[in-house]
Amino acid sequence: MVELKTDTSMDAMYEAGQVVGRALTAVREAADVGVSLLELDEVARGVLREAGASSPFLGYRPSFASTPFPAVICASVNDAIVHGIPDGYRLRDGDLVSIDCGAQLGGWAGDSAISFTVGRPRAADVRLIETAERALTAGITAAVVGNRIGDIAHAIGTVCRDAGYGIMDDFGGHGIGRRMHEDPPVPNEGRPGRGLALRHGMVLAIEPMLIAGGSDEYHTAPDGWTLKTNDGSRAAHTEHTVAVTDAGPRVLTAR
């Protein structure tokens, strides 16, 4: 069931989204060669704590996971696509890092992700990240009243496929509100004009996940959480929480 949010509720979700935005900005500023993923998690925890927000990631255990998630960010490096668990790994020159973060504030959730490089970037990584950001922008642009979920999926998928990148079939965006994951699912590839009609008050987490090698194949790492590319190629992940409104898409996690 899809819950339509009131304008007041969307304003409250904006406040949660701004906490997420500040956390991601702080993590990106702290990320440097030699910094550990656990240290980045602590940076995000500090932002949440200062805002009086909690983490919808910490302790989260969906049906596919064998253990609860132990951190407030997902930190996915190089061939890790999403859901990376922060650990003692210290960033190296040229690493491609994807950080996903959420916040729960006043009973409402926000969810967003960024990808960036540390140190000297590879040209291929810059192109991959730029394409992920273009795919996200395309998905947001399609999130208008009167369109359908398939229009968002098609917009994202077209950007990704035209650039020669792979897309995971089983993971994509989702509705968001009082809980981090709500209906409807928002695929990263689909047919235009299909699926649920978009209405004022729908709030969606739109999140392209791109695999550089062009294959769609992935596997779950032994930690039970991290999803990694089968071909060892790098991946990028971008995400915003977006409200569908009569005035057009409203990005609640804008940084």
Side-chain angles (χ1 to χ4, degrees), residues 97-189:
V97 184
S98 296
I99 302 292
D100 193 355
C101 184
Q104 197 91 24
L105 184 70
W108 296 99
D111 190 8
S112 186
I114 56 173
S115 289
F116 55 88
T117 56
V118 175
R120 292 167 293 183
R122 301 181 182 184
D125 291 344
V126 172
R127 177 175 177 268
L128 177 66
I129 293 169
E130 288 177 346
T131 305
E133 291 173 346
R134 284 196 295 110
L136 176 58
T137 297
I140 292 170
T141 301
V144 296
V145 173
N147 270 359
R148 294 181 176 271
I149 291 292
D151 294 305
I152 298 175
H154 178 71
I156 294 170
T158 298
V159 173
C160 297
R161 295 301 190 189
D162 284 353
Y165 297 132
I167 303 170
M168 291 193 298
D169 288 336
D170 304 328
F171 288 87
H174 50 88
I176 184 171
R178 297 243 176 228
R179 293 176 293 110
M180 179 170 60
H181 289 138
E182 297 183 351
D183 287 331
V186 185
N188 285 327
E189 191 168 32

Side-chain angles (χ1 to χ4, degrees), residues 30-159:
D32 202 353
V33 174
V35 175
S36 76
L37 301 182
L38 281 173
E39 288 171 327
L40 296 183
D41 188 65
E42 284 299 323
V43 169
R45 287 175 189 252
V47 174
L48 296 181
R49 190 164 48 245
E50 182 178 354
S54 60
S55 169
F57 288 19
L58 185 62
Y60 182 60
R61 187 178 178 183
S63 58
F64 66 80
S66 58
T67 59
F69 196 76
V72 305
I73 62 170
C74 296
S76 307
V77 181
N78 297 332
D79 64 336
I81 310 165
V82 289
H83 302 164
I85 297 176
D87 56 17
Y89 176 83
R90 295 193 175 276
L91 295 173
R92 301 171 184 172
D93 186 47
D95 277 346
L96 193 166
V97 184
S98 296
I99 302 292
D100 193 355
C101 184
Q104 197 91 24
L105 184 70
W108 296 99
D111 190 8
S112 186
I114 56 173
S115 289
F116 55 88
T117 56
V118 175
R120 292 167 293 183
R122 301 181 182 184
D125 291 344
V126 172
R127 177 175 177 268
L128 177 66
I129 293 169
E130 288 177 346
T131 305
E133 291 173 346
R134 284 196 295 110
L136 176 58
T137 297
I140 292 170
T141 301
V144 296
V145 173
N147 270 359
R148 294 181 176 271
I149 291 292
D151 294 305
I152 298 175
H154 178 71
I156 294 170
T158 298
V159 173

